[in-house]
Amino acid sequence: MAKLSSPVFNSRIKSENVTKPEKWLGYLFGPAGALLLNAVLATYLNVYYTDVLNLTPLWGGVFLTVFPIVSKVIDAVTNVLMGQVIDRTHTKQGKARPWLLLAAFLVPLTGILLFTVPENNDTVKALWVMISYNLFYSFAYTIFSMSHSLMVPLSTRDGTARGGLSVFNQITTIMMSGILVALVFPMVIMPMIGVDKSKWITLMSILSIVALPLTLLEYYFTKERVTEESTKAEQEQSRLPFLKQMKILFTDKYMILMYIYFFVYTIGMTLKNLGLVYYCNYVLGTYNDGITQMLVSVIGGIPMGIGIFAVWPLAKKFGKRNVTMFGFMLYAIGSLICWLFPTSLVIVLIGQFIKNIGGLPCAYVFMALFADCLDHLEWRKDIRMDGAAMSIYNIIAVAMVGIMTGVFNWLLAGTGYIAPITAESVSEAASTLAANGWTAQVALENLKLAADGVLTVAMQQSAGVNWVISFAFVGLEVFTGIILVVILKFLNVEKNIASEQAEIKARHEGGSAQ
């Protein structure tokens, strides 16, 4: 990448301490566009594939099972490469920030391509889906995600300031997934667009384009203070061969525990995200009823709003690890309540509320805890490997999305999931149902035509399909919550982190004086 030495590329943040504009523009509003797009995709891209493009039966159900897994293998490779690239990037603007600038343009372009699948034969559809999916996730979003995720660890060594930035960063994620995607989409957007492909394309194009100016905002209002501390010799150390970097990472017990922790958490969270829409559409409510998913998301998500004010003071008093560990106990209890009574709206809402109270510490302090592990590793080995460390983190994130998406789609296909159909009249819908031996979820005479005269008809799913959906959304996290409590018991990196950070600072000051 070019040196980016022109003043036009300079950060608007000049202070050596974290500032309010940095918090609000760089960490709250800046990431909002790309994170909103990603949150929508995490919840609805699979729905687009199964319900709008009707790809579930493609190649006997094999396509939607295998393609996400294969794609994530590619994504894992590009994450490793991107981690190496970041560690070898030395510019006036830092080593991660410059890539935000490139991502600002790539993410919108590839986001649009995801949905503009041509109406052609199945082979052309499959090729377009595979290519567009990998252009977005394995290329554009990998560049954004890795550079964005490193902003908190590279922003400052001040634990309090770093924790505040982590909270601001997470507020954005919660705003996008917990308010817009979880509230506005099921209540307003999804009933409006139904399974109309042209409406999906218009909506997703708008969301993709919005990401451009906001990502530029993140680029201009962030600053890599930790990178600026590094001496030339330390920067050269970041050029260590990849295998040697991996050996250093995976001989540090805290990094290993952090990766295992994130691996287990991501498995549960990914399957939950995949199951949310299907669970609300078939187990708890009816297809795009505009209320069930909204209630589940809002009642369950209220704790996230409360947590903005409560989590960090508790984490400072009792420790990030301890608060997170207690939270996962509640997390498992809330999930169990939902799983025992999956069709009871009232009980599920209570369970979701308890679960999300428990999930607060993980949501708001995870990246600060990860940053402590990076500092501990630097203290031990006298080297920073932010890019390499973040590449493993991202590999876990993307690999689990692919694997769990494949597993989920395989289970849906294996248990006989039936996608909704569209018709221009009740009689046409009745004829299609009779011809296939299907039963509508809601009596046809009670369905309303959309504004464009299209009738969307969802089917009653089998008991097997509904069990799969329930386990995905509320069952699996009973087990992952318990496992995470055990893992966190051993993740006590905070014990000596203050003294370790002070020693690192002394080393840098000594190196600068020479």
Side-chain angles (χ1 to χ4, degrees), residues 257-334:
L257 286 169
M258 181 58 84
Y259 286 139
I260 295 173
Y261 159 61
F262 186 61
F263 173 78
V264 173
Y265 174 74
T266 303
I267 288 176
M269 180 187 66
T270 300
L271 205 59
K272 176 198 69 178
N273 288 341
L274 287 165
L276 170 63
V277 178
Y278 299 88
Y279 178 78
C280 294
N281 280 345
Y282 296 108
V283 178
L284 198 59
T286 56
Y287 197 83
N288 284 347
D289 58 27
I291 188 69
T292 305
Q293 188 181 336
M294 180 273 291
L295 287 174
V296 169
S297 301
V298 171
I299 299 300
I302 286 175
M304 290 299 181
I306 300 172
I308 295 172
F309 307 101
V311 170
W312 193 246
L314 289 172
K316 286 201 295 183
K317 182 174 182 179
F318 298 106
K320 295 186 283 288
R321 181 205 61 164
N322 294 337
V323 171
T324 305
M325 193 163 63
F326 177 76
F328 276 120
M329 295 178 190
L330 294 179
Y331 197 81
I333 292 170

Side-chain angles (χ1 to χ4, degrees), residues 378-486:
E378 182 182 5
W379 171 76
R380 285 186 63 238
K381 298 295 184 178
D382 201 21
I383 181 175
R384 282 202 74 89
M385 298 188 301
D386 304 281
M390 190 55 65
S391 70
I392 304 302
Y393 166 91
N394 266 25
I395 285 171
I396 293 170
V398 301
M400 288 304 100
V401 169
I403 292 170
M404 300 316 294
T405 298
V407 168
F408 183 69
N409 286 329
W410 174 69
L411 291 171
L412 287 182
T415 50
Y417 174 76
I418 307 169
I421 63 169
T422 57
E424 295 183 357
S425 66
V426 170
S427 59
E428 181 186 339
S431 177
T432 303
L433 294 177
N436 290 279
W438 296 335
T439 302
Q441 186 186 54
V442 176
L444 296 180
E445 57 269 20
N446 293 332
L447 295 174
K448 295 180 180 179
L449 291 171
D452 56 5
V454 175
L455 188 71
T456 299
V457 183
M459 309 303 161
Q460 285 186 10
Q461 305 295 338
S462 68
V465 170
N466 286 340
W467 186 91
V468 165
I469 292 170
S470 296
F471 179 75
F473 184 63
V474 296
L476 180 59
E477 290 190 314
V478 175
F479 303 101
T480 59
I482 294 170
I483 295 170
L484 288 165
V485 171
V486 176

Side-chain angles (χ1 to χ4, degrees), residues 60 66 118 132 172 194-195 198 228 263 275 338 340 408 441 493:
V66 175
S132 63
T172 304
V195 291
S198 63
E228 292 173 1
F263 173 78
C338 296
L340 291 174
F408 183 69
Q441 186 186 54
V493 66

Side-chain angles (χ1 to χ4, degrees), residues 299 334 337-338 344-355:
I299 299 300
I337 291 171
C338 296
S344 171
L345 180 61
V346 173
I347 295 178
V348 166
L349 292 179
I350 293 171
Q352 286 292 297
F353 186 85
I354 294 172
K355 174 186 170 182

Side-chain angles (χ1 to χ4, degrees), residues 209 221 279:
I209 293 169
F221 286 89
Y279 178 78

